[in-house]
Amino acid sequence: MVNHPTQARQHSAGQLTGQETSHLVSLNPSGGHPFVHQQMLPAFVALQQAAKQAGFDLQIASAFRPFERQLLIWNNKFSGKRPLLDSNSQPLDPSSLTELEKIHAIMRWSALPGASRHHWGTDIDVYAANCLPEGEQLQLEPWEYQTGGHQAAFSQWLSGNMVHFGFYQPYAEDRHGVACEPWHISYFPVSKYLLSQLTPDLLKRTLSQSELAGKSHILENLDSLYSRYIENICEV
């Protein structure tokens, strides 16, 4: 039985925005990636063991992601170095979009630097390694987890069992904010408190000091972006 924390302590601005790592522990015996929140570790280990008993080799595709990494992803998408996708994962033509339209297109699939739940270490992208066909690379696209996809059986097991370990899917359905992400699970006993600590004002201060592409439009529209893409998540 996992003892969940009754309340997460107050985190620093750096911890909330991916600029500090003092709240994290490594899952790798020799250190290094992946890193997760120290209060989540026992629950994750228990979930992984339960998955193994059910026949699934639960592994992490992405865990903690620092601010600078999220900033690079964002700037590359904004500049056209990485593709922009529509809600059906199809490529968009950046030249046909206004700056604000590009911001919305990016935020469907990628968080603002400083606002990614991956900064917290409570949110991870997971898959069953033994269900991945040999020679195939995980894409983290919805079809892989839907009926007929190689992760479908694992996804069904995860949906029915993760709540017993304190996990849920903040992007289980499309709420016209972040697109559906069946691979993304969050450790609710801690992440619910961190979301309340990551205020629009804190985010604005963080982004104002960064080399963020599209910064003026983002800051101008931050309240509506926060409402649509950051706090607009599924219930537990």
Side-chain angles (χ1 to χ4, degrees):
M1 189 71 179
V2 178
N3 292 318
H4 301 299
T6 54
Q7 186 170 347
R9 57 180 170 76
Q10 182 68 35
H11 284 58
S12 69
Q15 291 170 334
L16 291 167
T17 58
Q19 297 168 299
E20 291 179 23
T21 59
S22 53
H23 57 303
L24 306 173
V25 292
S26 173
L27 283 174
N28 190 329
S30 58
H33 293 287
F35 292 98
V36 298
H37 197 288
Q38 56 192 1
Q39 288 184 281
M40 187 188 89
L41 181 60
F44 172 74
V45 170
L47 177 67
Q48 193 175 45
Q49 290 173 345
K52 184 177 182 179
Q53 291 174 354
F56 300 108
D57 179 17
L58 188 158
Q59 295 297 327
I60 294 178
S62 180
F64 168 75
R65 193 180 303 140
F67 179 90
E68 289 301 325
R69 173 63 181 159
Q70 196 69 25
L71 181 65
L72 180 64
I73 292 170
W74 179 276
N75 287 351
N76 283 345
K77 287 191 173 186
F78 201 90
S79 66
K81 291 180 181 178
R82 290 178 66 152
L84 289 182
L85 303 178
D86 66 15
S87 294
N88 297 312
S89 302
Q90 298 304 306
L92 290 166
D93 176 10
S95 65
S96 69
L97 304 175
T98 66
E99 289 216 340
L100 188 55
E101 286 172 338
K102 280 202 284 188
I103 291 165
H104 281 288
I106 296 171
M107 291 188 74
R108 283 286 280 166
W109 296 101
S110 296
L112 269 175
S116 173
R117 297 175 67 97
H118 283 284
H119 293 332
W120 305 340
T122 57
D123 287 54
I124 53 180
D125 298 335
V126 296
Y127 70 105
N130 60 324
C131 296
L132 188 64
E134 191 173 350
E136 221 172 285
Q137 192 167 354
L138 187 70
Q139 303 297 315
L140 286 182
E141 292 187 359
W143 66 266
E144 295 173 295
Y145 292 75
Q146 294 165 353
T147 302
H150 51 75
Q151 297 295 312
F154 167 67
S155 183
Q156 186 174 14
W157 178 87
L158 188 66
S159 295
N161 291 274
M162 62 184 166
V163 68
H164 304 306
F165 302 90
F167 292 92
Y168 83 116
Q169 292 168 314
Y171 310 125
E173 60 186 41
D174 189 348
R175 298 169 59 94
H176 308 293
V178 176
C180 181
E181 294 188 354
W183 52 83
H184 184 133
I185 65 174
S186 177
Y187 186 55
F188 178 74
V190 175
S191 65
K192 65 178 178 181
Y193 293 108
L194 303 197
L195 178 58
S196 68
Q197 293 172 22
L198 182 71
T199 62
D201 283 346
L202 170 59
L203 188 55
K204 184 175 184 178
R205 291 197 301 271
T206 300
L207 296 180
S208 296
Q209 299 167 6
S210 72
E211 297 297 323
L212 178 69
K215 179 163 67 174
S216 62
H217 286 81
I218 291 166
L219 294 178
E220 187 179 329
N221 294 277
L222 190 58
D223 285 345
S224 61
L225 294 173
Y226 183 96
S227 176
R228 180 171 177 178
Y229 296 101
I230 299 171
E231 66 180 358
N232 179 28
I233 54 175
C234 297
E235 300 294 330
V236 177

